[in-house]
Amino acid sequence: GPGRGAKREAGATSERGDKKRPRRQAAQRQAQATRPRSVDLFRGNVFSVVGLSSVDDGAYNFDQSKMESTIARHGGLILDANLLRAVERDEKRRLRDPAAPDERRRRYFAVTAREFRVDMAAPASHPLLSSLSRLVGVETVSPVWVSACVGEGQPFEPADCPALFRPPRWPVRLLPAGGAPNGGSRRP
């Protein structure tokens, strides 16, 4: 009767849907395989996240712990005492045998919202970064650089766009909640 035919048609529809699902899943797996893995983005690079001790009202700053977790989630190493000792050992080994094959060279970054002279890092306020900067070259980058690398899934050279990827010398002012300084309205 009519009830059986309706059931058969419904069954045929779900079978067709089941056949499409494996193709869709295979396409998703292939897309994931071609995308760079997020843990490879900063793999092996060492980061020191330098939060500003004092920030003017209305000036940009970032959450230091969130920045560190973002970097770590994408393969970056957060500077700590153990890592500093490992860098010291690596540098001593490299100096003893400069002809030894150089594995993937690590890069060292200080992430800060405002220009920060890493070579002048005060040992009292940033002891690990101060020690690291005496061993290796440390590049300063802005939080925008980290966000751009994570957002695009690829590392950018900070020197390629210094206005965005290097921290500025002055505090960056935030726009009021309305967007524009005059409350968000535009004048013709």
Side-chain angles (χ1 to χ4, degrees), residues 25-98:
Q25 289 171 345
Q28 288 172 344
R29 280 194 303 271
Q30 183 179 4
Q32 288 172 348
T34 59
R35 267 187 240 134
R37 291 180 28 191
S38 66
V39 296
D40 293 339
L41 185 60
F42 299 131
R43 182 182 52 196
N45 293 330
V46 177
F47 291 81
S48 176
V49 179
V50 180
L52 301 175
S53 56
S54 64
V55 179
D56 297 335
D57 283 342
Y60 171 75
N61 200 6
F62 59 92
D63 184 322
Q64 188 172 345
S65 63
K66 284 183 183 177
M67 181 63 65
E68 288 175 349
S69 68
T70 298
I71 290 167
R73 224 179 17 258
H74 291 86
L77 304 171
I78 304 301
L79 183 62
D80 63 12
N82 292 330
L83 186 54
L84 181 61
R85 283 193 292 278
V87 171
E88 288 171 341
R89 284 191 304 269
D90 288 349
E91 287 303 306
K92 285 179 185 175
R93 191 174 325 136
R94 192 179 64 78
L95 291 173
R96 275 194 309 262
D97 190 8

Side-chain angles (χ1 to χ4, degrees), residues 5-184:
K7 285 183 184 176
R8 233 181 285 141
E9 285 177 25
T13 304
S14 68
E15 284 176 17
R16 258 186 262 133
D18 290 345
K19 288 179 184 176
K20 288 183 182 180
R21 186 170 297 142
R23 276 190 233 145
R24 199 174 315 138
Q25 289 171 345
Q28 288 172 344
R29 280 194 303 271
Q30 183 179 4
Q32 288 172 348
T34 59
R35 267 187 240 134
R37 291 180 28 191
S38 66
V39 296
D40 293 339
L41 185 60
F42 299 131
R43 182 182 52 196
N45 293 330
V46 177
F47 291 81
S48 176
V49 179
V50 180
L52 301 175
S53 56
S54 64
V55 179
D56 297 335
D57 283 342
Y60 171 75
N61 200 6
F62 59 92
D63 184 322
Q64 188 172 345
S65 63
K66 284 183 183 177
M67 181 63 65
E68 288 175 349
S69 68
T70 298
I71 290 167
R73 224 179 17 258
H74 291 86
L77 304 171
I78 304 301
L79 183 62
D80 63 12
N82 292 330
L83 186 54
L84 181 61
R85 283 193 292 278
V87 171
E88 288 171 341
R89 284 191 304 269
D90 288 349
E91 287 303 306
K92 285 179 185 175
R93 191 174 325 136
R94 192 179 64 78
L95 291 173
R96 275 194 309 262
D97 190 8
D102 198 9
E103 301 144 18
R104 182 184 181 271
R105 209 57 194 135
R106 283 183 194 207
R107 291 180 73 183
Y108 303 90
F109 298 100
V111 181
T112 181
R114 197 153 162 214
E115 186 177 65
F116 180 79
R117 295 250 343 242
V118 176
D119 59 335
M120 304 295 275
S125 58
H126 304 288
L128 296 174
L129 183 57
S130 177
S131 297
L132 181 68
S133 69
R134 288 192 296 269
L135 294 170
V136 295
V138 178
E139 297 178 70
T140 55
V141 292
S142 71
V144 173
W145 177 79
V146 174
S147 296
C149 293
V150 169
E152 292 299 316
Q154 66 179 357
F156 292 102
E157 270 307 310
D160 288 348
C161 190
L164 287 174
F165 296 158
R166 299 279 188 206
R169 291 187 177 126
W170 57 89
V172 175
R173 305 297 296 172
L174 298 175
L175 291 174
N182 62 0

